[in-house]
Amino acid sequence: HVVSIYEDACSSPDLLLGVGVEEVAQGLHSHFCKYHPEAGLPDWLLLDEGLRQSNRNQADWMLRMLREVGYVATDHCRGTAGPLLLSDAHVELLAKTEHQRWSREKLAGGWRHGPERDSGHLIHPALVDWRMLSECAREKDRMFVRAWSEILSDAPVGFVSN
């Protein structure tokens, strides 16, 4: 177990972890592109600034949530940290809160619920409360949380349960 003396002193994951949210955001984008090539998104440097900021927001949230469920950051050499092991209960909690975060972000951006996704008109069928979300959509959120270990594997930070 590792105890971080900075945890109480710093509110920003950038300061707390010594890792740029930017690196984690890029990892999130790369992961999405790898598993969703149909989206046709460009590389990070060519990505629209709004989408890059969305990834940064998600990275910031992800790092904060790991602390909330009892993980502490520790420095490590890139690629040498062990896997991030989350319990089923943590996966469920984090998937639910990720869906809530995503929904708030979309709604703040003018999106609304509708039966079919229509990016041009800012309509998305998953803009519903977790309890109303299809099991398939819930599993997509769970799979994303389970992938955090892979996403964080190249970041210069590791996590241990405290």
Side-chain angles (χ1 to χ4, degrees):
H1 298 286
V2 174
V3 176
S4 171
I5 61 173
Y6 302 105
E7 189 166 346
D8 294 328
C10 301
S11 61
S12 169
D14 271 346
L15 297 173
L16 172 66
L17 305 178
V19 60
V21 167
E22 192 79 5
E23 282 185 281
V24 177
Q26 289 178 27
L28 287 165
H29 176 68
S30 295
H31 176 80
F32 184 85
C33 290
K34 179 179 176 179
Y35 291 98
H36 301 283
E38 73 282 359
L41 292 174
D43 289 336
W44 180 259
L45 294 176
L46 300 175
L47 193 63
D48 171 82
E49 181 57 30
L51 290 174
R52 280 193 274 176
Q53 187 58 48
S54 176
N55 280 283
R56 290 180 193 114
N57 294 341
Q58 187 175 30
D60 179 72
W61 173 87
M62 182 172 77
L63 296 171
R64 289 175 189 274
M65 287 293 87
L66 284 171
R67 283 201 333 255
E68 289 295 318
V69 298
Y71 281 84
V72 177
T74 179
D75 290 335
H76 78 281
C77 296
R78 200 175 292 273
T80 62
L84 181 65
L85 302 174
L86 296 169
S87 70
D88 289 344
H90 283 155
V91 168
E92 190 69 15
L93 172 68
L94 294 169
K96 180 180 178 181
T97 57
E98 165 56 17
H99 178 72
Q100 291 167 341
R101 184 210 62 80
W102 174 85
S103 294
R104 281 192 304 272
E105 180 181 86
K106 288 293 189 191
L107 291 169
W111 286 71
R112 64 189 191 282
H113 175 261
E116 299 283 329
R117 182 178 177 150
D118 182 341
S119 296
H121 291 98
L122 306 180
I123 297 171
H124 202 293
L127 278 171
V128 295
D129 184 83
W130 179 260
R131 292 169 292 167
M132 303 297 292
L133 199 59
S134 72
E135 185 56 31
C136 180
R138 287 183 192 188
E139 187 56 29
K140 181 179 171 184
D141 288 330
R142 291 180 194 116
M143 287 173 53
F144 168 68
V145 170
R146 290 183 196 111
W148 287 5
S149 185
E150 176 187 343
I151 293 166
L152 291 168
S153 65
D154 286 333
V157 67
F159 291 90
V160 292
S161 180
N162 62 2

